[in-house]
Amino acid sequence: MSTINDKVFTPGKIGPIEIKNRTIRASAYEGMADGHTPTRQLIDYHTSVARGGIGMTSVAYAAVTKSGLSFHRQLWMREEIIPQLRELTDSIHQGGAKACVQLGHCGNMSHRRYCGCRPVGASGGFNLYSPTVVHGLKKDEIEQIVKDFGNAVRIARKGGFDAVEIHAGHGYLISQFLSPYTNHRKDEFGGSLENRMRFMDMVMKEVMEAAGDDIAVLVKTNTRDGFKGGMEVDDCIKVAKRLQELGAHCLVLSGGFVSKAPMYVMKGRMPMRTLWGYMPWKSLWWLKIGIALAGKLLIKNEPFQEAFFYDDAIKFREALDMPLAFVGGLNSVESINKVMEAGFDFIQMARPLVYDPEFVNKLRDGKVTKSGCQHANYCVARIWNYDMQCHEHCQVARFQKKELERNIRKG
C-alpha cells in the first residue's frame, strides 16, 4: 500500500494564517444558497468536510455584487447575511478547519433573471450562454465593481472567514478582461496584456487593502484558457507574476473557460442526458433547447487523467517564488505525492470530497489510497437538481444507465 507524503499532514502558512495541514477543499459550486444566503444545507456540507480532516474548506463562487450572480442558489456577499455567514464559519471552525470564501463576478455569464440587469462584460457583444446582449463596462462601472470586491472582503471578515479566494480564472469577469478572446476594448483596459491586466490590478489593490494583516488572500488563476485564441501558458505566467507582485499570498493553478471550454476546467465527459433532464424548462428553456440540439458541440469532452494540470502547473512552480496550490484530478496517494514532491505547497480537491467528506481523514489513517470517485461528472450534470445534498450527487454515478434515465423522468 502506498504511503502518503508526510508533508501533506504538516501545518502550512498562507499569508497571516496557518492551516493544520496542506489540504484545501476546492471552491466548487454547491448550489446551496437559497435567496443567495447560506442555508442549513450549505453549513452541514462544509461542516462535514471540516470534520473529515480538511485543513481549510472553501465556500464557492460568492458574487461580490448582484450583477455578478449567474445562478439562482449562488451566494451573494452583502451586509444582511453576515449572521448566517458567521453561523457557517463558526460551524466550520468547530469542525477543526479554517474557512475560506471564493469571491468573484461572473461578468457576461449571467442572465437578467439572476443578476437583475443586462449582463456586463469586459466588452459588449452577444453571449450564447444566456443568450443575451452583453453590456461592455464603462470606466465608472469598472471602478464600482472594484470597490465591490473590497467590500466583499470586509463582509467576509465580519462573517468570520479566515481567507478569501479571488476568482481570476475560468472565463469570469477578471478572466474576461485578461483574455483576448473576450476583451476587445480600445481604451486603457484593452489591447496589450499590460492593459488587459489593469482591471485585475485594481481589484487586487482594493482586495489587499481590505484584507489587511489578518485575512489570507488566495487567487484562482488559469494556467491557460484551453482553446485557440485564448490565453496561453506564457502570458498566464506573466499574470501570475503580477499577482505575486501585488501581494497575493497563494495562487490556485487552474485552467479553462466555462463559456468556451467548460470541460477543460474539470476534465472528463459531461453526461448530457442527465444535464438536460435536470435543467428546468421554465427558467432555462433557451439553454435546454441548445443542449438538446447541440450539446456535444457546446460541451466537448476532455480526457481525464489524475493531476491533469501538472505539465502546465510545473512551469509556474519554476517561475514563481510564492505558495502555490495545485488543483485538478488529485484522486489518489500517487497523484498527491507527485504534486507534493514537485514543490507545490497545498493541494485542493473537490470531487473526492463530494464523494466522501471523510476522504482526508481516511488518507491520513491509511484506510484508503484512492478516492472512489470515478469523475463521471454526474454531480456537475445534476447542478440544477436543487433538492439533493451535494455529497449525495456522486451516488448517481453508481447507477446503471437505465436507472439514471428512470431517475431523470421522475424529476
Side-chain angles (χ1 to χ4, degrees), residues 19-314:
I19 64 176
K20 66 182 181 182
N21 60 43
R22 304 308 179 101
T23 68
I24 302 172
R25 190 269 185 187
S27 2
Y29 177 60
E30 309 93 348
M32 296 179 178
D34 287 330
H36 311 299
T37 302
T39 60
R40 172 51 53 186
Q41 190 180 28
L42 185 69
I43 294 168
D44 288 347
Y45 173 66
H46 281 282
T47 302
S48 70
V49 173
R51 291 173 179 166
I54 204 78
M56 181 164 72
T57 185
S58 303
V59 180
Y61 199 32
V64 299
T65 187
K66 188 175 182 180
S67 69
L69 290 167
S70 57
F71 291 106
H72 172 59
R73 293 185 101 209
Q74 180 182 352
L75 200 60
W76 167 20
M77 300 295 278
R78 56 205 194 281
E79 291 282 341
E80 55 263 41
I81 70 166
I82 288 173
Q84 292 93 333
L85 292 174
R86 177 64 70 171
E87 184 180 1
L88 169 61
T89 56
D90 284 349
S91 189
I92 289 170
H93 292 149
Q94 289 167 12
K98 289 289 195 292
C100 177
V101 60
Q102 184 187 62
L103 304 176
H105 189 296
C106 70
N108 64 24
M109 295 286 290
S110 188
H111 190 274
R112 185 180 296 271
R113 180 186 303 276
Y114 300 126
C115 67
C117 61
R118 187 200 296 182
V120 301
S123 299
F126 185 80
N127 181 20
L128 183 63
Y129 174 83
S130 292
T132 189
V133 176
V134 176
H135 166 64
L137 286 164
K138 298 178 181 178
K139 188 171 182 179
D140 62 329
E141 294 170 322
I142 289 172
E143 291 171 349
Q144 181 57 54
I145 290 175
V146 168
K147 292 177 183 177
D148 292 333
F149 270 93
N151 187 52
V153 175
R154 287 184 278 272
I155 291 170
R157 172 186 281 107
K158 293 177 183 177
F161 285 97
D162 307 286
V164 296
E165 178 185 290
I166 305 303
H167 203 329
H170 295 181
Y172 298 118
L173 187 59
I174 295 177
S175 184
Q176 287 166 29
F177 272 89
L178 291 172
S179 180
Y181 173 71
T182 42
N183 187 338
H184 309 294
R185 301 178 70 102
K186 304 300 182 184
D187 61 5
E188 68 267 36
F189 293 95
S192 67
L193 178 60
E194 187 70 23
N195 282 357
R196 300 198 312 270
M197 288 193 289
R198 195 178 303 274
F199 175 62
M200 180 189 76
D201 292 351
M202 293 167 64
V203 168
M204 286 301 298
K205 288 173 184 175
E206 186 80 14
V207 164
M208 297 309 298
E209 181 178 347
D213 58 5
D214 60 343
I215 298 289
V217 177
L218 298 85
V219 182
K220 177 166 280 185
T221 186
N222 278 4
T223 53
R224 70 172 80 215
D225 287 348
F227 62 94
K228 187 177 180 180
M231 293 271 286
E232 297 294 345
V233 172
D234 289 348
D235 276 350
C236 288
I237 288 176
K238 292 176 183 177
V239 169
K241 286 182 175 180
R242 177 64 64 84
L243 288 166
Q244 177 174 281
E245 293 169 4
L246 291 165
H249 299 133
C250 180
L251 301 187
V252 181
L253 300 176
S254 188
F257 219 82
V258 172
S259 62
K260 181 69 174 177
M263 297 312 294
Y264 193 89
V265 176
M266 67 195 78
K267 307 296 184 180
R269 58 178 288 273
M270 175 57 70
M272 302 303 277
R273 186 182 294 273
T274 304
L275 177 66
W276 185 91
Y278 282 103
M279 193 173 286
W281 274 111
K282 185 176 180 180
S283 58
L284 288 169
W285 59 267
W286 66 88
L287 194 54
K288 188 155 183 163
I289 290 172
I291 293 297
L293 295 177
K296 291 183 178 180
L297 293 175
L298 293 171
I299 305 176
K300 296 181 180 180
N301 295 335
E302 291 272 358
F304 176 83
Q305 63 181 31
E306 292 200 30
F308 48 77
F309 289 132
Y310 182 84
D311 289 346
D312 287 339
I314 197 68

